[in-house]
């Protein structure tokens, strides 16, 4: 693989925010009498906030909800979610993540984040990861969420790298699909490593330097 840059998904790859997303959505779901399980939460991986709400509402059987009210729900969910994010510190990043980011960068690779989240900057700041990256492409810069390739193409553009020299690390099936659509190499980790969709399946981030060919 000719790899000059690595683009990391954020939630589920660099930090584990699933539990906060779940708790915040669960509050809303309970109020609307929607049965929302952790399996349902799994379907929200990589999906934008607004699309996540639509998935949750598949199990809603009450009166129709106007677009304005949906907008309010999205704001409420995000407020609760950000309260949880506010408790995060640099200790919420595994040392293996920090060490391997350093290792890749010291080997001359360019590093970026490619995330659907509009909270990306806040999460990177809370966990003191901002300086680990040369570029950040996130939910505030795109109009189409994964599985559309927009966020990864944006990251490659910010890095000034060709897509076929980029490797994407993802925990979401939608993210692997997006990276392939962008013409990039793919490494699945966590939930996405269960499927055969990616070029590489990782059991941990420490395998990255090996597949890139800078470590044995
Ligand atoms: C992705 C998460 O990274 O960001 C999704 O995997 C989430 O679950 C999406 O819905 C949008 O996040 P945010 O922070 O903009 O609500
Ligand atoms: Mg993810």
């Amino acid at each position: 693989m000719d790899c000059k840059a690595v683009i990391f998904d954020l939630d589920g790859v660099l930090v584990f925010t699933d539990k906060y997303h779940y708790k915040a959505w669960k509050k809303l779901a309970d109020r609307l009498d929607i049965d929302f399980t952790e399996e349902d939460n799994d379907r929200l991986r990589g999906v934008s906030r607004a699309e996540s709400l639509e998935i949750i509402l598949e199990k809603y059987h009450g009166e129709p909800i106007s677009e304005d009210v949906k907008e309010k729900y999205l704001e409420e969910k995000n407020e609760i979610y950000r309260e949880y994010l506010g408790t995060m510190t640099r200790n919420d990043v595994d040392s293996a993540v920090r060490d391997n980011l350093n290792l890749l960068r010291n080997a001359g690779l360019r590093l970026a984040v490619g995330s659907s989240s509009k909270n990306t900057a806040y999460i990177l700041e809370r966990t003191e990861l901002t300086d680990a990256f040369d570029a950040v492409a996130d939910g505030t810069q795109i109009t189409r969420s994964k599985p559309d390739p927009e966020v990864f193409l944006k990251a490659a553009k910010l890095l000034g790298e060709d897509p076929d020299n980029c490797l994407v690390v993802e925990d979401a099936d939608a993210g692997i699909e997006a990276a392939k659509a962008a013409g990039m190499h793919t490494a699945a980790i966590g939930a996405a490593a269960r499927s055969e969709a990616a070029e590489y399946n990782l059991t941990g981030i420490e395998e990255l330097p090996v597949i890139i060919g800078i470590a044995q």
Side-chain angles (χ1 to χ4, degrees), residues 12-65:
V13 172
L14 300 171
V15 289
F16 300 96
T17 46
D18 298 32
K19 50 189 185 289
Y20 303 142
H21 277 299
Y22 178 69
K23 285 182 178 175
W25 282 126
K26 180 82 179 146
K27 265 201 182 148
L28 177 69
D30 284 350
R31 232 174 64 211
L32 297 176
D33 240 347
I34 295 171
D35 168 38
F36 177 60
T37 64
E38 298 210 25
E39 286 77 62
D40 294 328
N41 196 52
D42 245 7
R43 286 180 63 203
L44 312 183
R45 247 174 240 286
V47 175
S48 74
R49 197 181 308 161
E51 287 165 305
S52 297
L53 177 62
E54 293 302 331
I55 293 175
I56 291 165
L57 290 178
E58 284 173 12
K59 287 191 183 172
Y60 171 73
H61 303 293
E63 295 293 311
I65 302 172

Side-chain angles (χ1 to χ4, degrees), residues 9-13 18 45-46 146 170-172:
D9 171 52
L10 177 66
D11 296 304
V13 172
D18 298 32
R45 247 174 240 286
K146 299 168 188 175
E170 258 291 351
D171 74 311

Side-chain angles (χ1 to χ4, degrees), residues 73-129:
Y73 288 162
L74 291 174
E75 278 167 29
E76 281 174 31
K77 183 266 170 177
N78 196 47
E79 260 175 46
I80 301 168
Y81 178 57
R82 281 179 72 99
E83 274 175 33
Y84 289 120
L85 295 182
T87 67
M88 291 182 88
T89 67
R90 64 175 287 120
N91 297 331
D92 285 290
V93 178
D94 285 354
S95 55
V97 169
R98 231 178 265 280
D99 292 351
N100 280 283
L101 290 174
N102 281 336
L103 198 152
L104 296 173
R105 219 176 193 191
N106 291 338
L109 285 144
R110 319 245 7 253
L111 307 185
V113 173
S115 169
S116 304
S117 172
K118 293 183 175 166
N119 291 299
T120 297
Y122 186 47
I123 295 171
L124 294 176
E125 183 199 313
R126 292 282 336 159
T127 56
E128 299 177 28
L129 273 177

